[in-house]
Amino acid sequence: MSEYVLQAHQLSKHYKHHPALDRVDLSIRRGSIYGFIGQNGAGKSTLMRIAAGLSRPTSGQIELFGYKEGAQLVQARKRIGTTIETPALFPHLSAAENLEVFRLQKGIRDKTQIRQTLSLVGLEQAGSKIAANFSLGMKQRLGLAVSLLGNPELLILDEPTNGLDPVGVVELRELLLHLNRDKGISILISSHILSELHLLATDYGIIHNGRMLEQLSVSELQAKCRQYLHIKVDSPEKAIGIIQEEWQTTEYELDADGIIRLYEPFGPPGALSAKLFAAGLEVQQFMPKGEKLERYYTKLIGGAANGKSVTV
Ligand SMILES: Nc1ncnc2c1ncn2[C@@H]1O[C@H](COP(=O)(O)OP(=O)(O)OP(=O)(O)O)[C@@H](O)[C@H]1O
């Protein structure tokens, strides 16, 4: 079994001369929630459409569950559920009736899936209500239920929080976490708001102008955004001994240049520098460092210099 549910290999898509995707590599691990972040027009939908088989790449390849070619790739696409281009719901039909239409369309025999998916998205009580009377959040849930018919192993969701109020965003997050943790469904979710995926994603891909800028796990992102004390002394080993003794922490790194990074939470920096000094160490550099999530992202995509606003 492939470790990855979805990979893109040097994937490019050109519209006339405009590269919507430019040699993008991406890897989504089985069981992960992959937050695909980029501004409007970055290329997120283009990649998702190619993955779902709704568009063809100009060059490069998509690999789904380890399959790249022909009939196997077509077969593998049956194992994904997506809300991209889900046909509009029928407003005069109930949630259950809507699902019944899609069940027949998808050729799924098992009728019990209707009740199961309604319950999965928390709409079991609303099964007989007509869709026209649903809130936007409920419509989103019903749309998600449609994509869950057929028990997909990977969900591809293009900006599903668009238009939701903050409560709706939280509810959707809880639902996606449930699908991921309890049902083992891997999720690719796009957004132009990094902080919205902050409590959800286990991995991130940051795309800008059709190019993948960075892929990183949540712990890598946290490490990059974590506050730390940057310390350079003439004897780092001795300093580390003092840090361990005085602060009883192992939350530090020593790099090849002899720089110590002492991560949060740390006590008053003044007390530590005094200790180092008292121990006879020559303190060459001693400063707080680290970035906020927002600054990290803005810097990565070139920030205000490219003239577009960024929401984080
Ligand atoms: N059918 C098309 N014809 C021409 N250009 C297109 C087409 N579809 C997308 N594009 C262009 O490709 C680029 C990437 O678009 P895409 O929709 O993938 O971005 P996105 O990151 O999903 O943004 P958004 O959040 O606005 O949907 C944009 O410059 C867009 O204008």
Side-chain angles (χ1 to χ4, degrees):
M1 194 160 68
S2 170
E3 181 191 346
Y4 299 106
V5 287
L6 171 62
Q7 287 185 283
H9 304 288
Q10 292 287 294
L11 197 71
S12 292
K13 175 77 182 179
H14 290 218
Y15 290 109
K16 296 210 169 123
H17 298 297
H18 173 67
L21 290 178
D22 187 6
R23 291 161 290 162
V24 168
D25 287 319
L26 163 152
S27 295
I28 303 180
R29 287 180 300 113
R30 186 177 290 276
S32 64
I33 301 181
Y34 189 98
F36 198 24
I37 309 288
Q39 294 173 309
N40 293 336
K44 306 177 297 290
S45 307
T46 303
L47 184 135
M48 290 175 148
R49 288 175 54 80
I50 295 173
L54 298 165
S55 171
R56 293 173 71 85
T58 308
S59 61
Q61 262 183 328
I62 277 289
E63 181 172 341
L64 271 175
F65 307 104
Y67 300 108
K68 293 187 205 165
E69 314 276 350
Q72 285 184 318
L73 181 58
V74 172
Q75 205 55 30
R77 287 216 166 91
K78 295 192 176 151
R79 295 161 62 184
I80 66 177
T82 172
T83 53
I84 315 167
E85 293 198 352
T86 304
L89 300 167
F90 299 101
H92 56 288
L93 296 184
S94 71
E97 286 165 345
N98 263 288
L99 283 183
E100 177 62 8
V101 172
F102 292 109
R103 180 185 73 82
L104 293 170
Q105 257 180 23
K106 290 186 176 192
I108 296 164
R109 292 206 182 145
D110 180 9
K111 286 192 178 185
T112 63
Q113 280 205 17
I114 307 268
R115 212 161 20 93
Q116 283 165 14
T117 38
L118 279 176
S119 140
L120 211 52
V121 300
L123 284 180
E124 60 272 67
Q125 304 301 331
S128 55
K129 278 193 191 156
I130 63 164
N133 295 336
F134 278 17
S135 67
L136 183 62
M138 287 165 85
K139 283 182 187 156
Q140 293 273 30
R141 278 167 183 265
L142 186 51
L144 203 56
V146 173
S147 66
L148 286 165
L149 285 171
N151 299 321
E153 292 162 61
L154 168 65
L155 270 183
I156 299 183
L157 307 174
D158 194 6
E159 307 241 5
T161 53
N162 262 359
L164 290 181
D165 60 24
V167 175
V169 173
V170 173
E171 284 177 355
L172 182 71
R173 182 166 67 221
E174 296 299 318
L175 173 56
L176 296 179
L177 283 171
H178 167 61
L179 293 173
N180 175 254
R181 288 178 186 166
D182 305 329
K183 300 284 161 192
I185 301 175
S186 310
I187 299 172
L188 165 59
I189 176 171
S190 70
S191 178
H192 55 283
I193 307 173
L194 178 57
S195 55
E196 217 169 71
L197 301 186
H198 179 47
L199 298 171
L200 184 65
T202 56
D203 295 271
Y204 292 94
I206 299 174
I207 186 167
H208 186 58
N209 285 343
R211 291 198 151 190
M212 187 65 105
L213 297 186
E214 191 159 32
Q215 280 199 106
L216 68 181
S217 68
V218 73
S219 48
E220 286 167 334
L221 182 63
Q222 275 165 359
K224 289 195 184 218
C225 297
R226 220 166 147 194
Q227 302 297 304
Y228 62 90
L229 282 177
H230 168 113
I231 303 164
K232 183 154 192 199
V233 292
D234 53 347
S235 170
E237 288 75 18
K238 194 167 170 190
I240 282 173
I242 294 169
I243 287 169
Q244 283 177 337
E245 197 177 312
E246 294 289 325
W247 299 59
Q248 284 166 18
T249 177
T250 51
E251 294 289 301
Y252 59 81
E253 282 169 7
L254 173 62
D255 73 14
D257 297 327
I259 307 281
I260 302 168
R261 286 189 198 84
L262 175 62
Y263 288 102
E264 287 186 310
F266 43 74
L272 178 61
S273 67
K275 284 265 175 217
L276 298 176
F277 184 73
L281 288 166
E282 186 193 323
V283 181
Q284 294 151 355
Q285 295 170 5
F286 191 96
M287 60 200 109
K289 281 199 174 181
E291 309 198 65
K292 294 226 178 312
L293 196 63
E294 173 182 354
R295 262 198 67 206
Y296 176 72
Y297 177 51
T298 313
K299 243 167 76 179
L300 195 64
I301 65 165
N306 64 19
K308 290 184 180 174
S309 67
V310 181
T311 324
V312 280

